[in-house]
Amino acid sequence: MRQNKGKTKRVPTIFDIINLREKDILNTIRKFSKNPNRCPYCGSTKVVKFGKLRTDDIKIQRYYCKECHRTFNELSGTPLEGVHSIKNALLVAYFKLELKCSDYAISKALDIPYPTVRYLSNKINNNTKFFKSLLVLIRSATSL
Ligand SMILES: [Zn+2]
């Protein structure tokens, strides 16, 4: 079989993703989302670091806009904004985009409530390119 010129895009296996920590995924996301130097609400560049949001495994950088006085975080404005578990989002993306599973099958396979799968599935539909790139990046981050 002939390979494409340039880089070969590989996708992760389920084991690659299952073994990942949220922290690893966040670090991968950071590689292609630069630190925000602009407020997503008003576009001002007067933003400063403003503590961190903590979950069990990860710390998400928060920012404060000195212009409009709103806060946001490093996932604001990305398709992962508002997502509770980045890992679940990635798992749903994998089952949906790579394995072509239905939302119902994904809900059963991963034991994630159907409404949550629907919510993530909609995000993935609207940002297919982002999630495909994320899966490719995860693969390159996990294969040594
Ligand atoms: Zn602002």
Side-chain angles (χ1 to χ4, degrees):
M1 202 204 285
R2 250 220 258 160
Q3 278 194 322
N4 288 337
K5 276 187 181 172
K7 47 196 164 176
T8 329
K9 286 192 175 176
R10 295 193 296 167
V11 292
T13 68
I14 188 68
F15 302 108
D16 293 324
I17 301 175
I18 289 285
N19 290 327
L20 285 172
R21 292 170 305 170
E22 294 257 320
K23 205 199 264 176
D24 302 321
I25 304 169
L26 188 64
N27 282 336
T28 302
I29 295 163
R30 282 178 180 145
K31 282 180 195 159
F32 68 106
S33 67
K34 283 174 266 166
N35 277 344
N37 47 14
R38 253 172 214 288
C39 168
Y41 301 109
C42 74
S44 167
T45 53
K46 290 181 184 169
V47 295
V48 290
K49 287 187 177 176
F50 192 66
K52 286 176 179 173
L53 283 174
R54 291 184 65 124
T55 68
D56 293 342
D57 191 25
I58 53 172
K59 288 181 193 150
I60 296 172
Q61 183 63 53
R62 293 178 75 210
Y63 295 89
Y64 172 74
C65 173
K66 288 180 172 177
E67 204 76 55
C68 71
H69 308 290
R70 287 161 117 160
T71 59
F72 54 97
N73 66 60
E74 60 182 302
L75 296 178
S76 301
T78 78
L80 291 167
E81 178 174 3
V83 166
H84 287 283
S85 163
I86 298 173
K87 186 164 173 173
N88 280 354
L90 197 65
L91 281 166
V92 171
Y94 177 77
F95 273 80
K96 185 179 170 66
L97 300 173
E98 297 302 326
L99 307 181
K100 316 287 180 205
C101 291
S102 69
D103 292 344
Y104 179 77
I106 297 170
S107 167
K108 288 288 170 199
L110 296 174
D111 195 23
I112 298 173
Y114 184 70
T116 307
V117 173
R118 290 286 300 161
Y119 166 77
L120 293 172
S121 183
N122 276 333
K123 271 186 178 284
I124 294 160
N125 279 339
N126 296 331
N127 305 281
T128 308
K129 212 176 151 189
F130 172 91
F131 284 98
K132 280 190 173 166
S133 319
L134 190 56
L135 287 169
V136 171
L137 276 174
I138 291 288
R139 174 70 195 196
S140 51
T142 52
S143 61
L144 298 169

